[in-house]
């Protein structure tokens, strides 16, 4: 959600900034802009829509060696040129990722001082405040430091001050920001993929630190404006991991990596049917809360059912935007598990912080290394999904499900169950290589669909339904199969597509009777199951390999992801960047 890239160095800045912004497209945005120095003059160019629209207004050969760029996902004010970043007030030009919660209060205060605002954004108060303090102090670092003390919310900032044409300044609180350098100069960026073309070494800026960056030097200051040294991190993955490599879409490429992602995640925690040291000892926890957003929340639902069933431990699941504001009941053996692909989701991060403030142990399941959630939890368990670029998560979902399953086995102390994972990658490959277009054909012309299932299959219905909504814009509702007749069945008409999922032996007959109810009312039914079935209550059937119940969800999700992909393709949707969505949701 919003992306920042800046460059100062010996190479031309615009190609590097635009190239970096393209790598951050996956975060979600609806306008873009750059500010750069040309012949010592600051130029700002902004445009609504894709980066390609902005590119048309710029000449990449421009002699500029310092600049900052931004992709904006509108929160305060519509996507428009005026609301796009960079924002300039007086000497200061700023790009911002995050939200300033007290911006109205600050705006009123600054308006009383005579500041005129151009945009509807929260961001514009930042250059205004910087300029306000600069008029008093004539010191850039001090102005940034004083401004930081006034801002409430989350922010990563790239800053140019026209009185200092050699440096970019950067700071952050809440939202992520990295600094990297190659032989030619320095970069700032919201995320690592944007700089992988040039280097895999980077520094993570911590909260309230301020970086002063020239083409040859980087100085980092702490809150008290004392200089500090920071450890340089190395990105372990290959730079190819963030490329399409011949696939038409990232979503498809990422789904097709699921066999490897499964193995990498499994092998990171297990060897020779035993847990490695990478899996912590969690024996003392007898009460578990799982907190997450979006798809990660659905993984949480799968995990909670497995933990309750196999480890006999009560497990409560809640979406993070609710959890952070409600009364939660803990005891001294409670463990709060947060799940987040990005490790930056604002609500999930706040829920983690709330649990910590209450003195509760926390465990994070995260994909992005060294992200905020990963760094703040007591235990951090990484999934090994690699960079996920498509906004709709797929391989990270499968990796998280794998890890939650392992966690349930660990908590249950049932090492015997690890045996069943052997060869699962082959079944994953079988499912990846099936033809899903024929199923998609039955769905893509409809505007309403239903997913029904019971127990863990219901959690998978939620994910299948979300994938379809996100990528193809078809309205879709997931329902507990037994609950349908209490109202929702009134929506079933002749031809309404329904996906019925039943993979648990004891629940299959129950779900089939619900499938019969919708079929009798004219629904078009696709039955997804793991047992051969010759019934006359479905229109089409998709049989997945039969494996142990505990690992079945890892397989069930694959056809759901690929059907959503094929439907979105038939509907000619912007599959990797669905409208209005952001991958990394750094606002609440
Ligand atoms: C966004 C994404 C979803 C994701 C959710 C949680 O809404 O579009 O795909 O599931 O955020 O993200 P996280 O990074 O915390 O897993």
């Amino acid at each position: 959600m919003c992306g920042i890239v800046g460059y100062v160095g010996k190479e031309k800045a615009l190609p590097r900034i635009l190239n970096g912004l393209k790598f951050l497209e996956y975060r979600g945005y609806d306008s873009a802009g750059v500010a750069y120095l040309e012949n010592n003059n600051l130029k700002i160019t902004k445009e609504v829509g894709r980066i390609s629209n902005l590119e048309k207004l710029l000449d990449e050969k421009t002699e500029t060696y310092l600049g900052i760029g931004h992709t904006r996902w509108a929160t305060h004010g519509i996507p428009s040129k005026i609301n796009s970043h960079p924002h300039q007030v007086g000497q200061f030009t700023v790009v911002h990722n995050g939200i300033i919660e007290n911006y109205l209060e600050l705006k009123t205060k600054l308006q009383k001082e005579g500041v005129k605002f151009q945009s509807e954004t929260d961001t514009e108060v930042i250059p205004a405040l910087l300029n306000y303090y600069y008029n008093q102090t004539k010191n850039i670092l001090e102005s940034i430091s004083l401004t930081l003390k006034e801002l409430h919310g989350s922010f990563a900032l790239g800053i140019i001050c026209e009185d200092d044409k050699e440096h970019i300044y950067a700071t952050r609180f809440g939202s992520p920001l990295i600094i990297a350098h190659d032989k030619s100069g320095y970069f700032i960026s919201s995320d690592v993929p944007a700089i992988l073309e040039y280097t895999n070494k980077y520094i993570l800026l911590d909260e309230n630190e301020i970086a002063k960056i020239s083409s040859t030097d980087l100085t980092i200051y702490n809150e008290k404006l004392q200089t500090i040294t920071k450890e340089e991190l190395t990105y372990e993955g290959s730079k190819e991991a963030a490329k399409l490599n011949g696939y038409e879409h990232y979503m498809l490429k990422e789904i097709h990596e699921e066999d490897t992602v499964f193995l990498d995640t499994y092998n990171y925690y297990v060897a020779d049917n035993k847990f490695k040291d990478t899996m912590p000892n969690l024996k003392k926890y007898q009460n578990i809360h799982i907190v997450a957003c979006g798809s990660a929340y659905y993984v949480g639902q799968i995990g909670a059912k497995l933990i309750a069933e196999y480890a006999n431990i009560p497990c409560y699941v809640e979406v993070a935007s609710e959890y952070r504001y409600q009364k939660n009941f803990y005891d001294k053996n409670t463990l709060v598990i947060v799940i987040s692909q990005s490790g930056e989701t604002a609500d999930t991060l706040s829920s983690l912080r709330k649990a910590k403030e209450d003195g509760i142990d926390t465990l994070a399941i995260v994909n992005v290394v060294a992200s905020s959630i990963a760094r703040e939890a007591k235990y951090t368990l990484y999934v090994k999904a690699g960079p996920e670029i498509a906004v709709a998560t797929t391989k990270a979902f499968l990796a998280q499900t794998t890890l939650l399953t392992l966690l349930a086995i660990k908590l249950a102390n049932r090492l015997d169950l690890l045996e069943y994972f052997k060869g699962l990658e082959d079944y994953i490959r079988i499912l990846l290589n099936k033809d899903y277009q024929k199923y998609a054909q039955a769905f893509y012309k409809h505007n309403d669909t239903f997913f029904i299932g019971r127990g863990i299959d219901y959690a998978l219905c939620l994910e299948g339904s979300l994938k379809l909504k996100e990528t193809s814009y078809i309205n879709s509702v997931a329902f507990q199969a037994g609950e349908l007749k209490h109202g929702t069945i009134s929506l079933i008409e002749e031809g309404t597509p329904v996906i019925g999922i039943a993979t648990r032996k004891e629940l299959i007959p129950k779900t089939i009777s619900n499938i019969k109810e919708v079929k009798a009312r004219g629904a078009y039914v696709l039955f997804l199951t793991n047992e051969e079935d010759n019934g006359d209550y479905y229109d089409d059937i998709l049989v997945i390999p039969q494996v142990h119940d505990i690992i079945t969800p890892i397989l069930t999700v694959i056809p759901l992801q690929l059907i959503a992909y094929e439907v979105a393709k038939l509907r000619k949707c912007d599959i990797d960047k669905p409208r209005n969505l952001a991958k990394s949701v750094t606002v609440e």
Side-chain angles (χ1 to χ4, degrees):
M1 186 173 264
C2 297
I4 291 176
V5 178
Y7 173 75
V8 49
K10 295 185 183 67
E11 297 291 332
K12 289 193 175 139
L14 284 181
R16 293 183 160 223
I17 293 170
L18 290 168
N19 189 31
L21 288 179
K22 283 181 197 158
F23 273 104
L24 297 181
E25 281 190 295
Y26 71 91
R27 298 169 70 86
Y29 74 106
D30 34 45
S31 55
V34 286
Y36 56 95
L37 285 174
E38 185 186 6
N39 297 327
N40 264 343
N41 294 318
L42 190 87
K43 305 262 173 75
I44 297 179
T45 308
K46 318 181 193 189
E47 189 51 288
V48 176
R50 294 290 180 223
I51 292 166
S52 51
N53 300 352
L54 176 71
E55 249 175 335
K56 285 182 198 140
L57 305 177
L58 294 165
D59 177 2
E60 294 206 359
K61 296 199 193 84
T62 306
E63 294 285 332
T64 173
Y65 301 92
L66 182 152
I68 49 180
H70 188 262
T71 48
R72 172 177 186 251
W73 189 84
T75 55
H76 298 66
I78 56 162
S80 68
K81 276 197 188 195
I82 285 190
N83 289 334
S84 305
H85 302 207
H87 287 284
Q88 185 183 36
V89 178
Q91 296 291 315
F92 286 86
T93 302
V94 166
V95 287
H96 166 219
N97 170 15
I99 275 194
I100 305 304
E101 285 166 1
N102 59 335
Y103 83 103
L104 278 176
E105 194 185 301
L106 293 171
K107 201 166 176 173
T108 313
K109 174 178 143 181
L110 288 158
Q111 277 166 333
K112 282 189 191 143
E113 299 290 331
V115 179
K116 301 253 180 300
F117 288 91
Q118 315 292 326
S119 75
E120 300 159 84
T121 64
D122 53 337
T123 299
E124 205 179 350
V125 300
I126 304 170
L129 265 182
L130 288 166
N131 201 53
Y132 170 77
Y133 284 120
Y134 189 66
N135 285 339
Q136 294 170 12
T137 61
K138 290 291 164 212
N139 180 309
I140 299 171
L141 283 171
E142 252 182 69
S143 307
I144 296 175
S145 168
L146 288 165
T147 299
L148 285 182
K149 293 193 175 81
E150 297 232 24
L151 301 177
H152 298 167
S154 71
F155 47 84
L157 304 176
I159 304 167
I160 298 175
C161 174
E162 281 185 77
D163 269 359
D164 175 0
K165 296 203 162 89
E166 277 177 25
H167 293 96
I168 292 175
Y169 293 81
T171 185
R172 68 168 282 258
F173 183 87
S175 306
L177 200 72
I178 62 156
I179 302 167
H181 72 101
D182 68 356
K183 279 187 225 124
S184 75
Y186 282 90
F187 299 83
I188 59 170
S189 170
S190 303
D191 204 351
V192 180
I195 50 98
L196 280 181
E197 283 289 298
Y198 312 102
T199 176
N200 65 348
K201 302 253 189 273
Y202 63 98
I203 287 168
L204 266 173
L205 209 55
D206 275 305
E207 295 197 332
N208 290 323
E209 289 175 352
I210 303 170
K212 180 179 178 182
I213 312 159
S214 75
S215 63
T216 49
D217 269 320
L218 165 68
T219 317
I220 300 182
Y221 302 87
N222 65 13
E223 260 175 278
K224 294 179 186 147
L225 296 184
Q226 296 154 330
T227 53
I228 51 170
T229 47
K230 303 226 13 146
E231 184 198 352
E232 195 170 58
L233 305 172
T234 304
Y235 176 77
E236 302 291 351
S238 85
K239 70 177 185 187
E240 298 305 309
K243 290 187 170 169
L244 270 172
N245 294 340
Y247 281 92
E248 201 176 339
H249 296 100
Y250 280 106
M251 183 176 174
L252 187 64
K253 176 194 170 226
E254 287 160 7
I255 295 172
H256 277 269
E257 287 167 1
E258 287 180 338
D259 51 343
T260 313
V261 162
F262 159 73
L263 277 177
D264 289 350
T265 303
Y266 180 77
N267 290 331
Y268 189 71
Y269 293 100
V270 180
D272 303 326
N273 281 358
K274 285 197 200 80
F275 283 108
K276 297 183 184 172
D277 292 346
T278 43
M279 179 65 83
N281 182 350
L282 302 169
K283 231 185 216 160
K284 72 171 185 184
Y285 301 109
Q286 290 307 316
N287 177 21
I288 289 179
H289 294 188
I290 302 184
V291 187
C293 299
S295 293
Y297 167 64
Y298 300 147
V299 174
Q301 295 212 3
I302 296 171
K305 289 202 188 292
L306 293 178
I307 290 169
E309 182 177 346
Y310 288 91
N312 217 14
I313 294 175
C315 195
Y316 166 71
V317 202
E318 186 54 278
V319 287
S321 53
E322 293 295 318
Y323 191 86
R324 63 183 290 192
Y325 294 119
Q326 72 185 17
K327 184 168 170 62
N328 296 309
F329 293 90
Y330 307 115
D331 58 42
K332 63 179 189 328
N333 296 323
T334 301
L335 176 68
V336 173
I337 299 178
V338 296
I339 309 172
S340 174
Q341 187 284 128
S342 63
E344 300 293 347
T345 302
D347 285 318
T348 313
L349 180 58
S350 293
S351 297
L352 171 86
R353 287 178 177 164
K354 179 181 158 124
K356 280 175 72 177
E357 274 162 28
D358 289 341
I360 303 304
D361 286 354
T362 55
L363 182 149
I365 292 185
V366 181
N367 188 33
V368 177
V369 175
S371 50
S372 303
I373 290 174
R375 289 188 294 154
E376 292 190 27
K378 177 177 168 94
Y379 309 100
T380 295
L381 302 193
Y382 284 112
V383 295
K384 297 288 170 181
E388 196 179 57
I389 307 294
V391 168
T393 181
T394 53
K395 62 174 178 169
F397 184 98
L398 186 129
Q400 289 162 347
T401 305
T402 304
L403 186 43
L404 258 298
T405 310
L406 292 176
L407 212 56
I409 292 173
K410 173 77 184 177
L411 288 161
N413 196 20
R414 289 277 311 271
L415 293 184
D416 58 304
L417 292 168
L418 294 173
E419 182 66 29
Y420 295 105
F421 285 77
K422 282 221 177 79
L424 190 65
E425 64 280 12
D426 293 330
Y427 291 124
I428 293 175
R429 283 179 204 130
I430 290 171
L431 285 173
L432 291 177
N433 292 314
K434 264 179 175 291
D435 171 21
Y436 295 92
Q437 251 183 38
K438 67 167 187 155
Y439 302 109
Q441 288 287 350
F443 282 78
Y444 85 103
K445 286 189 181 148
H446 290 267
N447 288 321
D448 287 293
T449 61
F450 292 86
F451 286 70
I452 58 170
R454 290 168 181 261
I456 287 187
D457 287 332
Y458 167 62
L460 286 148
C461 285
L462 289 164
E463 176 58 8
S465 171
L466 180 65
K467 267 323 62 114
L468 194 68
K469 280 188 281 235
E470 282 181 309
T471 56
S472 69
Y473 314 146
I474 292 179
N475 182 35
S476 165
V477 181
F479 246 85
Q480 296 96 334
E483 190 64 12
L484 203 66
K485 53 185 157 306
H486 298 293
T488 313
I489 202 161
S490 63
L491 296 169
I492 302 292
E493 293 174 354
E494 195 59 40
T496 305
V498 175
I499 296 189
I501 307 180
T503 62
R504 273 287 175 118
K505 198 165 193 55
E506 65 279 16
L507 293 176
I508 289 176
K510 307 287 171 198
T511 302
I512 287 178
S513 59
N514 303 125
I515 286 176
K516 284 180 181 168
E517 290 160 7
V518 293
K519 184 71 192 139
R521 285 157 182 86
Y524 172 92
V525 175
L526 170 60
F527 185 31
L528 199 167
T529 183
N530 55 355
E531 278 188 359
E532 290 300 335
D533 186 300
N534 297 316
D536 56 0
Y537 36 83
Y538 54 77
D539 295 274
D540 211 340
I541 186 165
L542 204 164
V543 182
I544 62 169
Q546 194 156 53
V547 293
H548 191 283
D549 276 347
I550 199 166
I551 50 172
T552 299
I554 301 171
L555 295 183
T556 315
V557 74
I558 298 169
L560 300 175
Q561 295 170 341
L562 281 161
I563 290 172
Y565 172 80
E566 294 294 348
V567 172
K569 203 170 149 191
L570 286 171
R571 286 170 70 97
K572 301 194 179 3
C573 293
D574 193 353
I575 296 181
D576 287 334
K577 298 185 283 284
R579 68 182 178 218
N580 303 337
L581 294 182
K583 185 149 190 78
S584 179
V585 181
T586 48
V587 299
E588 72 170 291

